[in-house]
Amino acid sequence: MEQDIFCQIAEGVIPTTKFYDDTWVLAFADISPLAPIHILIVPKKHFTSLNDLGGKDEGLLGHMILVAQRLAKEHGVALSGYRLIINCGPHGRQVVPHLHLHLLGGRELTAEMC
Ligand code: AMP
Protein backbone atom coordinates (compact mmCIF):
# COMPACT_ATOMS: atom_id res chain seq x y z
CA MET A 1 0.00 0.00 0.00
CA GLU A 2 1.30 3.45 -0.88
CA GLN A 3 2.28 5.48 2.18
CA ASP A 4 0.76 8.89 2.85
CA ILE A 5 2.98 11.93 2.53
CA PHE A 6 3.47 12.39 6.30
CA CYS A 7 4.59 8.76 6.73
CA GLN A 8 7.11 9.43 3.96
CA ILE A 9 8.29 12.61 5.72
CA ALA A 10 8.57 10.72 9.03
CA GLU A 11 10.73 8.08 7.32
CA GLY A 12 12.94 10.71 5.72
CA VAL A 13 11.89 9.80 2.17
CA ILE A 14 10.55 13.32 1.58
CA PRO A 15 12.73 16.16 2.89
CA THR A 16 11.31 18.82 5.20
CA THR A 17 12.31 21.61 7.56
CA LYS A 18 12.27 19.78 10.90
CA PHE A 19 11.71 21.62 14.19
CA TYR A 20 11.29 18.71 16.59
CA ASP A 21 11.85 14.96 16.45
CA ASP A 22 11.48 12.25 19.08
CA THR A 23 10.34 8.63 19.31
CA TRP A 24 6.66 9.50 18.95
CA VAL A 25 6.29 12.69 16.93
CA LEU A 26 7.88 14.86 14.30
CA ALA A 27 7.24 18.59 13.82
CA PHE A 28 8.01 20.35 10.56
CA ALA A 29 7.17 23.48 8.58
CA ASP A 30 3.91 23.50 6.67
CA ILE A 31 4.68 23.73 2.96
CA SER A 32 1.93 26.36 2.41
CA PRO A 33 2.02 28.44 5.59
CA LEU A 34 -1.15 30.29 6.56
CA ALA A 35 0.66 32.39 9.18
CA PRO A 36 4.27 33.41 9.90
CA ILE A 37 4.52 30.39 12.20
CA HIS A 38 2.81 27.32 10.75
CA ILE A 39 4.16 24.05 12.06
CA LEU A 40 2.67 20.58 11.80
CA ILE A 41 3.03 18.17 14.73
CA VAL A 42 2.63 14.65 13.39
CA PRO A 43 2.67 11.25 15.13
CA LYS A 44 5.19 8.88 13.57
CA LYS A 45 2.70 6.01 13.88
CA HIS A 46 0.05 6.18 11.20
CA PHE A 47 -3.41 7.28 12.28
CA THR A 48 -5.65 8.36 9.42
CA SER A 49 -7.46 10.92 11.55
CA LEU A 50 -8.42 11.85 15.10
CA ASN A 51 -11.20 9.26 14.77
CA ASP A 52 -8.57 6.50 14.93
CA LEU A 53 -7.39 7.38 18.45
CA GLY A 54 -8.61 5.47 21.49
CA GLY A 55 -8.14 5.67 25.23
CA LYS A 56 -4.64 4.19 25.02
CA ASP A 57 -3.61 7.13 22.84
CA GLU A 58 -4.34 9.83 25.43
CA GLY A 59 -0.63 10.09 26.18
CA LEU A 60 0.24 10.60 22.51
CA LEU A 61 -2.37 13.32 22.09
CA GLY A 62 -1.19 15.09 25.24
CA HIS A 63 2.39 14.80 24.02
CA MET A 64 1.48 16.36 20.67
CA ILE A 65 -0.09 19.34 22.46
CA LEU A 66 2.88 19.78 24.80
CA VAL A 67 5.28 19.64 21.83
CA ALA A 68 3.16 22.37 20.20
CA GLN A 69 3.37 24.45 23.40
CA ARG A 70 7.16 23.98 23.49
CA LEU A 71 7.48 25.00 19.82
CA ALA A 72 5.28 28.07 20.45
CA LYS A 73 7.74 29.11 23.17
CA GLU A 74 10.78 28.36 21.00
CA HIS A 75 9.33 30.38 18.11
CA GLY A 76 8.48 33.34 20.32
CA VAL A 77 4.70 33.22 20.03
CA ALA A 78 3.76 31.79 23.44
CA LEU A 79 2.91 35.21 24.86
CA SER A 80 1.48 36.81 21.72
CA GLY A 81 -0.71 33.75 21.30
CA TYR A 82 -1.32 30.98 18.85
CA ARG A 83 -3.90 28.48 17.68
CA LEU A 84 -3.84 24.68 17.55
CA ILE A 85 -6.05 22.98 14.98
CA ILE A 86 -6.79 19.35 14.15
CA ASN A 87 -8.86 19.01 10.99
CA CYS A 88 -10.83 15.77 10.84
CA GLY A 89 -12.60 14.31 7.81
CA PRO A 90 -14.17 16.00 4.78
CA HIS A 91 -16.24 18.61 6.62
CA GLY A 92 -13.22 19.39 8.79
CA ARG A 93 -11.32 19.95 5.53
CA GLN A 94 -8.68 17.38 6.37
CA VAL A 95 -6.59 16.96 3.22
CA VAL A 96 -3.72 14.73 4.34
CA PRO A 97 -5.01 11.38 5.68
CA HIS A 98 -2.54 11.22 8.57
CA LEU A 99 -3.38 12.77 11.95
CA HIS A 100 -1.65 16.13 12.46
CA LEU A 101 -1.87 19.17 14.68
CA HIS A 102 -1.43 22.62 13.15
CA LEU A 103 0.38 25.28 15.22
CA LEU A 104 -0.41 28.74 13.85
CA GLY A 105 0.89 32.05 15.15
CA GLY A 106 3.00 35.11 14.51
CA ARG A 107 0.09 37.37 13.60
CA GLU A 108 -3.37 38.05 14.96
CA LEU A 109 -5.53 35.26 13.59
CA THR A 110 -9.05 35.95 12.41
CA ALA A 111 -12.21 34.79 14.11
CA GLU A 112 -12.54 32.23 11.29
CA MET A 113 -10.15 29.32 11.06
CA CYS A 114 -7.02 31.28 10.25
P1 AMP B 1 -5.10 19.41 6.54
O1 AMP B 1 -6.04 20.23 5.71
O2 AMP B 1 -5.37 19.58 8.02
O3 AMP B 1 -5.05 17.97 6.11
O4 AMP B 1 -3.69 20.04 6.32
C1 AMP B 1 -2.65 19.44 5.59
C2 AMP B 1 -1.51 20.40 5.61
O5 AMP B 1 -0.36 19.71 5.14
C3 AMP B 1 -1.70 21.64 4.72
O6 AMP B 1 -1.57 22.80 5.52
C4 AMP B 1 -0.57 21.51 3.70
O7 AMP B 1 -0.02 22.76 3.32
C5 AMP B 1 0.43 20.63 4.42
N1 AMP B 1 1.34 19.85 3.58
C6 AMP B 1 1.02 19.07 2.53
N2 AMP B 1 2.12 18.50 2.02
C7 AMP B 1 3.16 18.92 2.77
C8 AMP B 1 4.56 18.67 2.75
N3 AMP B 1 5.15 17.87 1.84
N4 AMP B 1 5.33 19.27 3.69
C9 AMP B 1 4.78 20.09 4.61
N5 AMP B 1 3.45 20.36 4.67
C10 AMP B 1 2.66 19.77 3.77
Side-chain angles (χ1 to χ4, degrees), residues 33-37 77 80-83 104-111 113-114:
L34 298 173
I37 304 297
V77 300
S80 55
Y82 54 93
R83 185 172 291 163
L104 293 155
R107 67 168 167 83
E108 187 172 2
L109 301 169
T110 65
M113 286 306 288
C114 299

Short mmCIF file of all heavy atoms in Angstrom, two decimals, residues 33-37 77 80-83 104-111 113-114:
data_model
loop_
_atom_site.label_atom_id
_atom_site.label_comp_id
_atom_site.label_asym_id
_atom_site.label_seq_id
_atom_site.Cartn_x
_atom_site.Cartn_y
_atom_site.Cartn_z
N PRO A 33 2.36 27.84 4.29
CA PRO A 33 2.02 28.44 5.59
C PRO A 33 0.89 29.46 5.50
O PRO A 33 0.85 30.29 4.60
CB PRO A 33 3.33 29.11 6.03
CG PRO A 33 4.15 29.23 4.80
CD PRO A 33 3.73 28.14 3.88
N LEU A 34 -0.02 29.37 6.47
CA LEU A 34 -1.15 30.29 6.56
C LEU A 34 -0.87 31.42 7.55
O LEU A 34 -1.70 32.31 7.72
CB LEU A 34 -2.41 29.53 6.99
CG LEU A 34 -2.86 28.43 6.03
CD1 LEU A 34 -4.01 27.64 6.63
CD2 LEU A 34 -3.26 29.02 4.68
N ALA A 35 0.26 31.37 8.20
CA ALA A 35 0.66 32.39 9.18
C ALA A 35 2.19 32.36 9.25
O ALA A 35 2.81 31.39 8.80
CB ALA A 35 0.03 32.05 10.53
N PRO A 36 2.80 33.40 9.83
CA PRO A 36 4.27 33.41 9.90
C PRO A 36 4.84 32.17 10.59
O PRO A 36 5.90 31.68 10.20
CB PRO A 36 4.56 34.69 10.71
CG PRO A 36 3.40 35.59 10.41
CD PRO A 36 2.21 34.68 10.28
N ILE A 37 4.15 31.68 11.59
CA ILE A 37 4.52 30.39 12.20
C ILE A 37 3.42 29.39 11.84
O ILE A 37 2.25 29.58 12.21
CB ILE A 37 4.60 30.49 13.75
CG1 ILE A 37 5.59 31.59 14.18
CG2 ILE A 37 4.95 29.13 14.36
CD1 ILE A 37 7.02 31.37 13.78
N VAL A 77 6.10 32.82 20.16
CA VAL A 77 4.70 33.22 20.03
C VAL A 77 3.85 32.80 21.25
O VAL A 77 2.64 32.99 21.25
CB VAL A 77 4.04 32.69 18.73
CG1 VAL A 77 4.77 33.24 17.52
CG2 VAL A 77 4.02 31.16 18.69
N SER A 80 2.36 36.11 22.67
CA SER A 80 1.48 36.81 21.72
C SER A 80 0.25 35.96 21.41
O SER A 80 -0.82 36.49 21.10
CB SER A 80 2.24 37.18 20.44
OG SER A 80 2.84 36.04 19.88
N GLY A 81 0.42 34.67 21.48
CA GLY A 81 -0.71 33.75 21.30
C GLY A 81 -0.63 32.96 20.01
O GLY A 81 0.09 33.32 19.07
N TYR A 82 -1.36 31.89 20.00
CA TYR A 82 -1.32 30.98 18.85
C TYR A 82 -2.58 30.13 18.85
O TYR A 82 -3.39 30.18 19.78
CB TYR A 82 -0.06 30.09 18.92
CG TYR A 82 0.12 29.33 20.20
CD1 TYR A 82 -0.36 28.04 20.35
CD2 TYR A 82 0.78 29.92 21.30
CE1 TYR A 82 -0.19 27.35 21.54
CE2 TYR A 82 0.95 29.24 22.49
CZ TYR A 82 0.47 27.95 22.61
OH TYR A 82 0.62 27.25 23.79
N ARG A 83 -2.72 29.34 17.80
CA ARG A 83 -3.90 28.48 17.68
C ARG A 83 -3.45 27.07 17.29
O ARG A 83 -2.56 26.91 16.46
CB ARG A 83 -4.82 29.05 16.59
CG ARG A 83 -6.14 28.32 16.43
CD ARG A 83 -7.05 29.08 15.48
NE ARG A 83 -7.50 30.33 16.07
CZ ARG A 83 -8.02 31.34 15.36
NH1 ARG A 83 -8.14 31.26 14.05
NH2 ARG A 83 -8.41 32.44 15.97
N LEU A 104 -0.38 27.50 14.63
CA LEU A 104 -0.41 28.74 13.85
C LEU A 104 -0.19 29.93 14.76
O LEU A 104 -0.80 30.02 15.84
CB LEU A 104 -1.78 28.91 13.17
CG LEU A 104 -2.12 27.90 12.08
CD1 LEU A 104 -3.62 27.77 11.93
CD2 LEU A 104 -1.49 28.32 10.76
N GLY A 105 0.67 30.86 14.34
CA GLY A 105 0.89 32.05 15.15
C GLY A 105 1.76 33.05 14.40
O GLY A 105 2.05 32.87 13.22
N GLY A 106 2.13 34.10 15.10
CA GLY A 106 3.00 35.11 14.51
C GLY A 106 2.25 36.29 13.93
O GLY A 106 2.86 37.24 13.43
N ARG A 107 0.93 36.23 13.95
CA ARG A 107 0.09 37.37 13.60
C ARG A 107 -1.25 37.16 14.30
O ARG A 107 -1.55 36.04 14.76
CB ARG A 107 -0.11 37.50 12.09
CG ARG A 107 -0.93 36.38 11.46
CD ARG A 107 -1.34 36.73 10.03
NE ARG A 107 -1.85 35.59 9.30
CZ ARG A 107 -3.09 35.12 9.36
NH1 ARG A 107 -3.97 35.68 10.19
NH2 ARG A 107 -3.46 34.08 8.65
N GLU A 108 -2.05 38.23 14.36
CA GLU A 108 -3.37 38.05 14.96
C GLU A 108 -4.23 37.25 14.00
O GLU A 108 -4.44 37.67 12.84
CB GLU A 108 -4.01 39.41 15.28
CG GLU A 108 -5.29 39.23 16.06
CD GLU A 108 -5.88 40.54 16.57
OE1 GLU A 108 -5.28 41.61 16.26
OE2 GLU A 108 -6.91 40.50 17.23
N LEU A 109 -4.70 36.12 14.45
CA LEU A 109 -5.53 35.26 13.59
C LEU A 109 -6.95 35.78 13.58
O LEU A 109 -7.38 36.44 14.51
CB LEU A 109 -5.45 33.82 14.10
CG LEU A 109 -4.02 33.24 14.12
CD1 LEU A 109 -3.98 31.92 14.89
CD2 LEU A 109 -3.48 33.03 12.71
N THR A 110 -7.67 35.45 12.53
CA THR A 110 -9.05 35.95 12.41
C THR A 110 -9.99 35.08 13.25
O THR A 110 -9.61 34.03 13.76
CB THR A 110 -9.52 35.89 10.93
OG1 THR A 110 -9.57 34.53 10.55
CG2 THR A 110 -8.58 36.66 10.04
N ALA A 111 -11.22 35.55 13.35
CA ALA A 111 -12.21 34.79 14.11
C ALA A 111 -12.58 33.50 13.37
O ALA A 111 -13.07 32.55 13.98
CB ALA A 111 -13.47 35.63 14.32
N MET A 113 -11.16 30.31 10.75
CA MET A 113 -10.15 29.32 11.06
C MET A 113 -8.75 29.90 11.18
O MET A 113 -8.00 29.55 12.06
CB MET A 113 -10.16 28.22 9.98
CG MET A 113 -11.34 27.31 10.09
SD MET A 113 -11.47 26.61 11.74
CE MET A 113 -10.10 25.49 11.70
N CYS A 114 -8.39 30.77 10.24
CA CYS A 114 -7.02 31.28 10.25
C CYS A 114 -7.01 32.78 10.12
O CYS A 114 -6.02 33.39 10.20
CB CYS A 114 -6.22 30.66 9.12
SG CYS A 114 -6.11 28.89 9.27
#
